[in-house]
Amino acid sequence: MTQVAPDIWRILLPTPWPVGPVNAYLIDDDPLTLIDTGAWDTPTVTALESGLRACGYEVANLERIVLSHQHIDHWGLAPHLAQRSGAEICALAELAPWLAAYPGSLAREDQFADDLLERHGADPAVSGAGVYRGDADYGASVHVTHRLNDGDVLEFSHRRLITFHRPGHSPSDTVFCDLERGAMIGADHVMPKPSVPILSPPLSGPDVARRPRALADYRASLTATQAMDLDLILPGDGDVVTAPRAVIAERLAGYDRMTERVQAALDDEPHTAIEIAAQARRRITVASAFYVLCDTLGYLDQLLDAGAVVEVQDDRVSQFARA
């Protein structure tokens, strides 16, 4: 538990996954607010209770719980905390139906991921391995009592947090900005390490035939954040991000460099995205296959949009070649 800004405390929460611990933020203001909760398991509950007590509070004192996006390591504990405290739960309006439909919404994402891996050349052993989202038991259906839209304001006695929808890492990524203090609570939008734009089905409505453009969405979101007058970003993982504009500039430049590497891995013969990723990255593990595929497809889609690549599809598999 560390104070990271005036009246804002970071509580480090363990997770059962290789991603490691995540950050929850307690805003010691009126109403007493927790942004993100961690997953629903005993070590997380213990760590959160300990962090709250260090600030002089108990779970029962929470009045508002704010959820940043759909990945379970950031929200799984929310229904448990709301039951114990009576706190309202705030989340992006588009995310609310996804949370209410859990675990069905997670199963839909699992099927989407398996289909994507199969279509783009992954080893069949990877599909269905459950290596992406983890066990559905670490969360439960959530009733969002306060639906947020882009530009909505969360009011406190001593601050105002403006809601911004910043899709890319996930379709529901939401950040909260105190513009008077030049601070953003940014979840996984901007972190010390690069964040993967993860391909997911639409938050609501039927799936569309066109592959989601997560990297393009993420680049647009990063550019919008880069234009803001921010001194620091409190991330969902890792330490405080200072000099956000410089960090984002390097992140965007890194995506340009990787696009060039992926383009260099192409030739005139069609190859699957997994084959191209192996050529560009050299090493793909079972645990990383879905993330690497999302990343590589993002660069390939940029090259497709630029006319540098063609995609050859049949009923079973998609392949890419130099245009």
Side-chain angles (χ1 to χ4, degrees), residues 178-214:
D178 184 340
L179 296 182
E180 291 184 5
R181 295 173 174 83
M184 170 189 282
I185 300 176
D188 288 356
H189 171 53
V190 178
M191 299 190 292
K193 296 180 180 179
S195 188
V196 177
I198 297 175
L199 293 171
S200 304
L203 286 174
S204 60
D207 294 350
V208 294
R210 183 176 185 267
R211 186 168 53 246
R213 293 293 204 262

Side-chain angles (χ1 to χ4, degrees), residues 4-5 8 23 25 183-187 190 232-236 239-241:
V4 290
I8 300 180
N23 299 327
Y25 292 98
M184 170 189 282
I185 300 176
V190 178
L232 57 86
I233 295 177
L234 308 180
D239 294 328
V240 173
V241 175

Side-chain angles (χ1 to χ4, degrees), residues 219-287:
R219 291 187 68 126
S221 292
L222 287 172
T223 301
T225 296
Q226 188 180 34
M228 300 175 71
D229 188 15
L230 297 174
D231 296 319
L232 57 86
I233 295 177
L234 308 180
D237 182 7
D239 294 328
V240 173
V241 175
T242 56
R245 284 179 175 169
V247 170
I248 292 172
E250 174 53 34
R251 203 64 38 84
L252 293 171
Y255 291 141
D256 290 338
R257 290 192 295 270
M258 276 305 303
T259 301
E260 293 172 359
R261 285 180 60 180
V262 168
Q263 186 172 10
L266 292 162
D267 56 36
D268 294 334
E269 294 298 320
H271 299 283
T272 66
I274 287 291
E275 291 171 336
I276 294 165
Q279 179 68 22
R281 291 178 173 271
R282 305 288 186 244
R283 182 173 180 269
I284 302 174
T285 66
V286 171

Side-chain angles (χ1 to χ4, degrees), residues 8-304:
I8 300 180
W9 300 84
R10 179 182 65 190
I11 303 174
L12 197 64
L13 301 176
T15 74
W17 301 293
V19 68
V22 297
N23 299 327
Y25 292 98
L26 182 71
I27 302 180
D28 192 358
D29 203 335
D30 183 15
L32 185 68
T33 297
L34 183 70
I35 297 186
D36 283 346
T37 70
W40 190 354
D41 71 338
T42 299
T44 305
V45 174
T46 300
L48 181 60
E49 290 176 339
S50 177
L52 290 172
R53 287 193 198 103
C55 294
Y57 296 108
E58 302 288 342
V59 168
N61 299 127
L62 293 173
E63 298 171 285
R64 176 192 281 162
I65 297 167
V66 182
L67 307 180
S68 65
H69 65 296
Q70 68 207 72
H71 295 153
I72 195 170
D73 54 331
H74 289 267
W75 68 263
L77 194 52
H80 172 76
L81 297 177
Q83 184 179 39
R84 290 175 59 182
S85 65
E88 67 170 346
I89 295 182
C90 309
L92 190 72
E94 292 92 328
L95 178 57
W98 190 101
L99 292 168
Y102 190 88
S105 48
L106 186 71
R108 182 183 176 213
E109 287 197 359
D110 284 334
Q111 187 60 58
F112 176 89
D114 286 347
D115 292 346
L116 202 71
L117 285 161
E118 182 178 354
R119 169 158 285 278
H120 292 287
D123 186 322
V126 173
S127 297
V131 297
Y132 166 39
R133 277 159 295 276
D135 196 316
D137 291 341
Y138 289 100
S141 176
V142 177
H143 174 55
V144 175
T145 54
H146 183 175
R147 298 189 177 200
L148 299 169
N149 295 301
D150 189 71
D152 282 357
V153 177
L154 291 172
E155 298 282 359
F156 295 79
S157 292
H158 300 102
R159 75 193 68 226
R160 304 170 78 245
L161 293 183
I162 303 176
T163 303
F164 292 100
H165 184 199
R166 291 285 193 262
H169 171 66
S170 80
S172 57
D173 272 26
T174 315
V175 301
F176 305 94
C177 292
D178 184 340
L179 296 182
E180 291 184 5
R181 295 173 174 83
M184 170 189 282
I185 300 176
D188 288 356
H189 171 53
V190 178
M191 299 190 292
K193 296 180 180 179
S195 188
V196 177
I198 297 175
L199 293 171
S200 304
L203 286 174
S204 60
D207 294 350
V208 294
R210 183 176 185 267
R211 186 168 53 246
R213 293 293 204 262
L215 179 58
D217 290 343
Y218 192 33
R219 291 187 68 126
S221 292
L222 287 172
T223 301
T225 296
Q226 188 180 34
M228 300 175 71
D229 188 15
L230 297 174
D231 296 319
L232 57 86
I233 295 177
L234 308 180
D237 182 7
D239 294 328
V240 173
V241 175
T242 56
R245 284 179 175 169
V247 170
I248 292 172
E250 174 53 34
R251 203 64 38 84
L252 293 171
Y255 291 141
D256 290 338
R257 290 192 295 270
M258 276 305 303
T259 301
E260 293 172 359
R261 285 180 60 180
V262 168
Q263 186 172 10
L266 292 162
D267 56 36
D268 294 334
E269 294 298 320
H271 299 283
T272 66
I274 287 291
E275 291 171 336
I276 294 165
Q279 179 68 22
R281 291 178 173 271
R282 305 288 186 244
R283 182 173 180 269
I284 302 174
T285 66
V286 171
S288 70
F290 181 69
Y291 298 103
V292 171
L293 177 61
C294 290
D295 208 34
T296 304
L297 285 173
Y299 304 125
L300 287 168
D301 282 334
Q302 288 191 150
L303 293 167
L304 279 167

